[in-house]
Amino acid sequence: MVKKVKIEDCANYISCGDCLGARDPFCGWCSLENRCSVKSKCLSSDDPLRWLPFDSNKCINITDVSPRQTPRQVEAKIQLTVDQLPPLTTGYVYSCVFGNVMTTVAMTTSNGVSCDTAQISMLPKSMPGKDHITLTLGIRSSESSTVFVEDTFTFFDCSAHTSCTTCVSSQWECDWCVYSNLCTHNSSTCSQTVVTGQNNPVTSSTKGASFCPRLLNTTSIFLPDGVSQEITLTGVHLPMPMPGQDGYMCVIDIPPTAVQVPASRVNNIIKCQAHAYSYTASQGSLQARLRVIWNGGYMLDDPMVTNVTLYKCAMLGSDCGSCLGLSRNTPYQCVWCGDTSKQCKYTKSCTSGSVQACSSITINKVSPLSGPIEGGTSVTIDGSNLGSEYSEVMDAVTIAGMPCRPNATLYIVSKRIVCQTEPVGAVRTGPVIVTINGITQQWTQEFSYKDPTVMSIIPSYGPKSGGSRVTIHGRSLNAGNDIQAYIGGVICQIDRSQLTENTTVCSTGAMSMPTTDTEVKMTFDLHPRVLPGAFNYTADPTITRITPLKSFISGGRQITVQGTNFNVIQAPKMFIMKGSLRSNSTVCNIQNSSIMTCQSPVAPVEIKAVVNRSLSKRALSPTEASVGFIMDNVMSVQNLTYYFPNVLSSLVYVMDPVYFKFKEKDGIHIQKGDNLVIEGRNLNLASESDEVLVMIGQEGCSITSLAETQLVCRTPATQPAGSKENELPWVIVSVGNLKYDIGQLQYEVEEGLSPAVIGVIAAVAAVLIIIIIIILVIHRRKTVIAKREYKHMQIQLDTLESNVRNECKQAFAELQTDMSDLTNDLVATGIPFWDYHSYAFKVLFPGVQDHPVLHEPNAYDSQQVNIEQGMKCFEQLLNNKVFLLHFIRTLEAQKTFNIRDKVNVASLLIIVFIKKMDYATEILRYLLEELVEKSVSSKHPKLMLRRTESVVEKMLTNWLSLNLYGYLKSSAGNSLFLLYKSIKLQVEKGPVDAVTADARYSLSEERLLREKIEPVTLTINIVQDGDSDNDTVQCKVLDCDSITQVKEKMLDALYKHIPFSNRPSVKDLELEWRHGRSGHLTLQDEDVTSNTDEGWLRINTLSHYKVPDAANMALIDSFNNTLKTNGDFNTTLSSINSGTPMITDVENGSRQYHLVKQQDDGQQREGRHNMISEIFLTRLLSTKGTLQNFIDNVFQTILDAQSPLPVSIKYIFDFLDESATRHGITDSEVVHTWKSNSLPLRFWVNIIKNPDFVFDVNKSHIVDSCLSVIAQTFMDSCSTSEHRLGKDSPSNKLLFARDIPKYKKWVEKFYSDISAMDAISDQDITIAMNDLSRNYESHFNKTSALLELYQYATKYNAEVLEELEDSPEARSQRLPSKLEEVADTITA
């Protein structure tokens, strides 16, 4: 087998090294254009340095830059040594490009180029804390406008340094002017002492940081608050202030201010004058920075950072013990004064003498006061004067007569002792005693050694996910400090607020699986107590059904939940979720292990707003929310959609029911009879009669019926009493959380009857009995008549069914005849396919008549060159996979990048790569892999490719469409065109309303003409050459056709072999009826003869003009020329008597209609017929039966895997199969749905609905509606879900209900056959894509397409650059700067 392969792929090599290293004899490095290409595509490639072949020794390179850095304040001349610098064409120059900020002209030298830094004012500022900026230094040719070789160059700034040490230690030639306190690159401007920088090549005796004036490291400085003290510091190389300069000052930063104190300098010693420093902060000590300045603001270097510590003894030592601890363990000079102040003071401030031991001990708290007999309990003793150091408390504590060893780490001087109890043999109780330095103190409460016991646990079961709140019963369960509970080895979180002597409440942890007879363990300071086999972990509850799934927004409707293991949950609750919004929860009542009842939650504000908006539009649109349950820690029942996908769990919210008050003005309703009627609205939207409670006083009113606007209930036999004496009862309606006061109720009082009245009643009753007997006789007679009428109706229905069957047969036979004639014509003339360019434009930009890609860019001549050159650079970036993928990802991440933008970008990319379809395929695969990753990680992977929500989905549509063009022309197009023509012919056999587009023959119920109209078929003769009867064409029309419809049919007859786009427009032609030699009448849709009726104007028809059969008609243009089949016009035709005046103006406010009047309520009535419109639905069956064979042929052709299929179908199906395998998807329905969402949904449905994309034909509204039904049927056939049909199902689904199962089998076989085919290799798909790029010509302007794409790069320039900068791979290829170069090229 011979295969075609591409011999070169130079564009894939980004750098010169990669290009030459590939050793591809067809590829070389185009030096000035900085790209790898074949020789023919490189400018001036004959020069050996302009195009370097694969066997070149080395690439163009900058070997040296002299100098490599310069002060940013100084203009410098730079020499660049360049190896293999190409010569320039006459008239072009080189330039040096410093980053994106500065460009200067370069002069060519013997070994490279030289340029200067003349535009230093354009340099950006250095970053804070930085003393330089480093920019890329590149060489650019004006011939290619491309930077083709790069290095780096640094601008440094010595003035960024503010200290001598950092100045002279920097990597640049920076010196420090001591008496100017300045860092500079030019020390010649300095006076007096200069410290030379370590990187300055100049020889100096004061070179390096060691000669900087600076402070030396000193010992810690402690300053007592408010006490005057002198500070001594040591320095080196300290300058002597010159005449006119200020001396030294010490500055201490004490918030909120800085304290300045004069200082004196003697040699290298600095003494800060004595000063009483103080601070206001309420803290024991404060660290402050000390600085030394001279001459008013020159600061001495302080490499080690000198700090001082200010402190307040009174705050550091609040009691005797802590104060003594300060003096013994810290550098603070604090003592406890023995005078009456009893306070911790600075040593020199205590004049009455200090004490060495505290005279008392205070205990404030001991915790805990019990522990296990095994000991190990950490007992905390809080108080004051609890020792001044750990050695004083080592043996100071005894508890219940047993020593308690303090913990040195946890000991806080004077404040806290934490000790651990020793084990004892048995339960005991005793005091807590502390003895320090002979002073003893005992706590008021005693400590108890206890022996805890675990006895039982309630409840003894819970779900394995944990969260059950259980109570452990026993004795001494609060003994100790560290108390823990475990069930089955898993910690049970204790509620410390519920911990008592005899009970402990905790929440169970999660287990991996259900377990039984699990032990319960508690530890008391690590000593265990076990209760074996006391707890059972059961399986988690599950949900199997929720009913009802409808509630009013105020909530409170009883919801019944069915499932398993409800009895192991203690307090189940119900909530709803709408997006990220979660409602408050309601409490559920458990009936048994499988049933519980809950109250529906009140709808959140957002859902209420949606429902209220629906009400304002006079609609009762429901709003759904997901139901969830709180069952301890069982997470699965909180997300039913994910964990229980087969359970219907969406709760529909509707408007609240509203019960109206009684209409009586005083609010008191007089009740007559047994039934009470209460009016309202929305009463049964989410309520049943047994869910509504009606109370009359303290008694109930039994509900007998509940409708949307009315409730009826049976009142009690006797008047119920009111809540107060002598008060009428109130009628109150309760439903869910709602309660309505309807008003007060009073029974009607009946008076007794007199004998005379009773006699009258008896007489009336006798008369009534006679009347009833007569009525029964009449009823019997009418029943017999009704049965006869029923039999008669049955006969009519049978007749109707027979007529429909006959009509189908007759219509099918007629259509077959017409289609046979059409097929014969097609053999001779061919199908009017659009050329590849027109087809591609219609698919890529549906509904668009004109687009910039069809024209040259709109630019001035001076801009045209820049735009073309810039777009070439931008195209190079798009040909870089790294850039293109980052570009697409960045666009899709923007909130303002909407669906229309995504579709546009996808189409523009296909145009750019229409000659590189192999590269487009590679990018498509990358993006599809990312889409699969995203979809698999979501909850509903089946939804992938369902909608066009990303660039890749539209790219897939475009890619399939271009790949299948040849398949359409060679195979599928024939059956698709015959289907279109069969629908058009069948539809036009019956009346079609010119205004509403409703037709007698339709597959769409929405476009069905529901009127009984019996048209008469007329055969008219189309006159072409004046009065010659021999040159006529016959055309069949209907007498109810509008004039425009007649013209369209005549054009179809005249131009049946000519594509639609080459025909004259029907709007430019007039219809002329020729009856006799001089009788010419122009027919129009509207003229002075048009009929009007109550504001309705009827469009004229042939019957309006009383046109007979075999009439002669002609189509004339605006010049009164007769239209002929060859497209010419007869200019010799006389216009005598043809100028009948026609007035097309209609009365203001009149409305047009053709066959039926379109009423405001959407019903069609003309006033002549009074039939049930549903009787006309049989016409759908008639039309479907007539077209069935053509529909089947299209589906069979599309789903025939045995025909030569394009390799792209196998390729994309294999990719979806591989993706499913790679991600571990075993559900075959997911892969089936992916395939259906790719080929059928993204291509075939689009083509079936829009045959005008493929063929040069006109698609009318009625034909479009029929094709939409067929397309939807095809998509239903590709779905794996079963469609449950009922009386309320759409008519189009009922219409093909018996056919869809057959079509589904065809689809499954089609997918199976493709999977069984040999795999398509990457080489095969590459060959196919290259053939596609080569075999079909398009006339799109690539520069315009690139310019349209570049507008998105401009709009989101900052975001794209940021994304590229964040990518190491993009930075390594200099993609950010290359994108900016595109803008520079365009605006140059």
Side-chain angles (χ1 to χ4, degrees), residues 23-76:
R23 310 293 294 173
D24 188 333
F26 295 97
C27 297
W29 187 252
C30 190
S31 299
L32 294 188
E33 296 178 40
N34 198 40
R35 65 187 180 94
C36 190
S37 71
V38 295
K39 188 173 183 179
S40 60
K41 294 184 179 180
C42 182
L43 297 174
S44 304
S45 58
D46 292 335
D47 190 295
L49 296 180
R50 295 289 289 266
W51 187 80
L52 304 177
F54 76 97
D55 54 355
S56 299
N57 293 328
K58 53 185 176 179
C59 299
I60 183 172
N61 187 35
I62 298 177
T63 59
D64 184 50
V65 179
S66 180
R68 280 200 170 272
Q69 64 274 332
T70 185
R72 66 176 297 150
Q73 298 87 354
V74 178
E75 295 183 4

Side-chain angles (χ1 to χ4, degrees), residues 1036-1288:
K1036 289 186 177 181
V1037 296
L1038 303 177
D1039 66 338
C1040 62
D1041 283 344
S1042 69
I1043 304 305
T1044 299
Q1045 289 175 336
V1046 174
K1047 289 191 289 184
E1048 290 172 345
K1049 291 182 179 181
M1050 292 172 65
L1051 283 174
D1052 285 341
L1054 286 171
Y1055 292 91
K1056 63 181 178 179
H1057 302 315
I1058 297 176
F1060 182 77
S1061 61
N1062 295 336
R1063 302 179 184 181
S1065 172
V1066 70
K1067 296 179 181 179
D1068 299 333
L1069 303 174
E1070 295 290 349
L1071 180 62
E1072 190 174 76
W1073 177 19
R1074 298 181 178 179
H1075 44 96
R1077 287 191 170 272
S1078 60
H1080 294 184
L1081 176 64
T1082 301
L1083 310 185
Q1084 295 179 335
D1085 286 332
E1086 299 176 17
D1087 57 22
V1088 292
T1089 68
S1090 299
N1091 296 325
T1092 58
D1093 178 20
E1094 297 180 355
W1096 288 90
L1097 183 144
R1098 183 162 190 168
I1099 293 176
N1100 295 337
T1101 63
L1102 293 183
S1103 62
H1104 170 77
Y1105 289 106
K1106 295 182 173 51
V1107 175
D1109 192 23
N1112 293 325
M1113 296 284 183
L1115 291 172
I1116 60 174
D1117 67 350
S1118 56
F1119 299 102
N1120 217 25
N1121 294 326
T1122 304
L1123 194 65
K1124 299 191 295 183
T1125 55
N1126 59 4
D1128 297 328
F1129 295 100
N1130 185 348
T1131 57
T1132 62
L1133 177 67
S1134 173
S1135 59
I1136 299 174
N1137 295 330
S1138 65
T1140 307
M1142 295 294 175
I1143 301 173
T1144 59
D1145 294 339
V1146 298
E1147 294 182 66
N1148 291 333
S1150 60
R1151 300 170 63 183
Q1152 287 184 335
Y1153 79 100
H1154 177 202
L1155 301 178
V1156 294
K1157 296 176 182 177
Q1158 186 71 19
Q1159 302 293 343
D1160 292 336
D1161 59 1
Q1163 297 178 354
Q1164 299 175 351
R1165 293 187 180 90
E1166 191 178 8
R1168 297 177 301 171
H1169 305 291
N1170 188 20
M1171 299 181 63
I1172 301 173
S1173 62
E1174 281 70 15
I1175 200 72
F1176 297 106
L1177 292 179
T1178 55
R1179 292 177 179 173
L1180 298 178
L1181 287 172
S1182 171
T1183 308
K1184 186 250 184 181
T1186 307
L1187 300 173
Q1188 183 71 62
N1189 189 42
F1190 299 98
I1191 298 172
D1192 287 350
N1193 286 342
V1194 169
F1195 287 6
Q1196 283 178 329
T1197 304
I1198 291 173
L1199 300 174
D1200 182 13
Q1202 305 305 319
S1203 61
L1205 287 177
V1207 295
S1208 54
I1209 296 179
K1210 173 65 175 172
Y1211 178 76
I1212 199 67
F1213 277 24
D1214 283 354
F1215 168 79
L1216 296 175
D1217 288 331
E1218 292 168 5
S1219 299
T1221 303
R1222 185 168 59 254
H1223 292 282
I1225 296 178
T1226 57
D1227 187 354
S1228 60
E1229 289 190 4
V1230 173
V1231 184
H1232 184 102
T1233 304
W1234 286 355
K1235 293 178 180 178
S1236 298
N1237 290 345
S1238 57
L1239 179 65
L1241 177 62
R1242 303 211 148 268
F1243 177 72
W1244 284 122
V1245 168
N1246 193 30
I1247 295 301
I1248 291 173
K1249 289 176 64 176
N1250 301 284
D1252 50 322
F1253 284 4
V1254 184
F1255 314 114
D1256 189 354
V1257 296
N1258 178 43
K1259 182 182 67 171
S1260 63
H1261 291 296
I1262 179 60
V1263 172
D1264 178 69
S1265 64
C1266 293
L1267 290 170
S1268 295
V1269 171
I1270 296 172
Q1272 182 59 50
T1273 301
F1274 182 67
M1275 201 59 222
D1276 290 342
S1277 303
C1278 296
S1279 172
T1280 58
S1281 59
E1282 294 295 331
H1283 299 279
R1284 297 180 180 177
L1285 301 177
K1287 63 179 182 179
D1288 297 325

Side-chain angles (χ1 to χ4, degrees), residues 697-698 720-730 744:
Q698 300 299 319
S723 57
K724 298 180 181 179
E725 188 176 354
N726 298 324
E727 183 184 48
L728 293 174
W730 285 87
Q744 291 177 295

